[in-house]
Amino acid sequence: MTSSSSLTPLAAASSAAGAGPNWTCPFCGLLCDDLTVHAAGGKLRLVSGDCTGAQAGLDALEVPDAAARAFIDGLPASADEAIAVAGQRLRLWRQPLFGGLGTDVAGARALYRLAASSQAICDHADGRSLMHGVRAQQDKGLFYTTLAEVRSRADLIVCVGTSVVDHYPCFFRRVGLGSDRPADAGESAEVVFVDGPVPDALPAGIAARHVAGSGDLFADLQQLSAALAAPGHDTGPWRDLADQLRAARYAVLVWEAATLPDHGALIVEAINRIVGLLNRSTRAAMFSLGGGDGAYAVNQAFTWLSGLPLRTRVSGSALEHDPLRFDARRLLDRGAVDGLLWLSSFRPDRLPPETALPRIVLGPVAMGARLAAQGAVADTVFIAVATPGVNAAGHLFRSDGGIVLPLQALRDDGLPSAADVLTQLDALVRGVPA
């Protein structure tokens, strides 16, 4: 059994001095790398950087010492025993579904190899929202930007259908609003909220206004697009915003994948059309809030390994991608799969969906404790794995797509990484020595 790496320099410094150097938080797609965590008495506490999501993520991983690190159908077992039984069961499944997929780059690579060996269909727990951007990119392409460029260039930020701070409380800080901005960025960017909730409180110094729409976000974006395409044409409340967008030096339209409705891909295409119209005479881009819980890391890894994103059936001889048919929830509801491997190494509350199918579950120790407390252990093999950025090192892709950041462990709990367990399962499925 291979466990996570020994105590890293970050964790060693934290143990010795009470608080280590800057920590990269793995609990949302922003991957804030300017936080500091205090590790003492077995507890992890955020001591610099104001992020409720980061502290909530750390708190959720705390479990009683008696919690089982592995079990088979509710009975405690060693990790090696659980892996052996999981491998035996996985070999019998004719069409497995790999869901959750909350892991880092190394875990994603091991997951892909196991999927190829077992001919699995793979979909992330946030697959529905992830596919909004993927499908729009496949159809039309995207004008995309980075956090750094928003911080240094943007003078107008339009939040489309999202308050931003409800799920990404550090976003405005990360793009330099409410604090000093680079000298060439000019005055602080103005923020406009369109068709979405306005946060109760914004960082000091942010000028914000709200444009109330009809409640149909797609129709409102069409109206805004028409106002941009035909200056001076009467398009109601959208004319002023269109004029403001044209006058901006660098406008950024921000959207949140998880808040979009089922036809979200059409909304993303509408945002992209607005950005394209603006780029004829000025500069504009879009920024998507999403990709947390390993979604971007796994999607990126699958894409470079196979040429196709998630919601793909992987086998040694063929690949099949279908962003609608291979929706995990749809497959489970239709009985189209005969076993579920669920991986969620960041969020112990992201439990596998209720199903009568046999399950293999990989997650933090706290996830196993939750399953046991709910009695959801029948025909289930649970194996505890480390969380990258907390008790294992790793790498994740940030929300802005091409940026990958290293994660260091805050402590070593002796847990295997997801990549370790998946590699052992792959060897068992293929019938070769690990």
Side-chain angles (χ1 to χ4, degrees), residues 50-75:
D50 184 15
C51 181
T52 55
Q55 187 59 64
L58 293 171
D59 290 342
L61 295 172
E62 300 296 339
V63 293
D65 293 336
R69 294 192 170 198
F71 59 72
I72 302 168
D73 302 335
L75 299 176

Side-chain angles (χ1 to χ4, degrees), residues 363-387:
V365 178
M367 177 178 285
R370 286 171 181 257
L371 288 172
Q374 295 178 7
V377 294
D379 213 357
T380 298
V381 178
F382 172 75
I383 305 161
V385 295
T387 299

Side-chain angles (χ1 to χ4, degrees), residues 172-173 176-181 188 203-206:
F172 290 116
R173 175 180 62 81
L177 298 188
S179 63
D180 293 337
R181 283 164 62 80
S188 182
I206 294 181

Side-chain angles (χ1 to χ4, degrees), residues 89-105:
R89 295 183 181 184
L90 184 54
R91 291 186 68 178
L92 299 176
W93 297 349
R94 300 184 63 183
Q95 181 53 80
L97 169 65
F98 290 0
L101 312 191
T103 188
D104 66 342
V105 173

Side-chain angles (χ1 to χ4, degrees), residues 360-406:
I360 299 167
V361 180
L362 311 182
V365 178
M367 177 178 285
R370 286 171 181 257
L371 288 172
Q374 295 178 7
V377 294
D379 213 357
T380 298
V381 178
F382 172 75
I383 305 161
V385 295
T387 299
V390 178
N391 43 24
H395 295 82
L396 284 176
F397 278 84
R398 207 167 62 188
S399 284
D400 37 4
I403 311 298
V404 61
L405 292 179

Side-chain angles (χ1 to χ4, degrees), residues 128-129 132 160-163 167 217 255-261 267 289:
R128 184 190 69 88
S129 55
H132 296 326
V160 181
T162 175
S163 71
H167 300 134
L217 184 55
W255 51 279
E256 183 179 345
T259 64
L260 297 182
I267 292 174
L289 292 166

Side-chain angles (χ1 to χ4, degrees), residues 25 32 39 49 73 76 80 121 132-133 138 151 170 223 231 247 260 271 336 340 344 350 362 367 389 392 430:
C25 171
C32 296
D73 302 335
D80 288 334
I121 298 170
H132 296 326
Q138 289 171 331
R151 181 183 179 91
C170 292
Q223 288 291 313
L260 297 182
I271 296 172
L340 172 65
S344 182
R350 180 155 272 188
L362 311 182
M367 177 178 285
R430 291 186 294 114

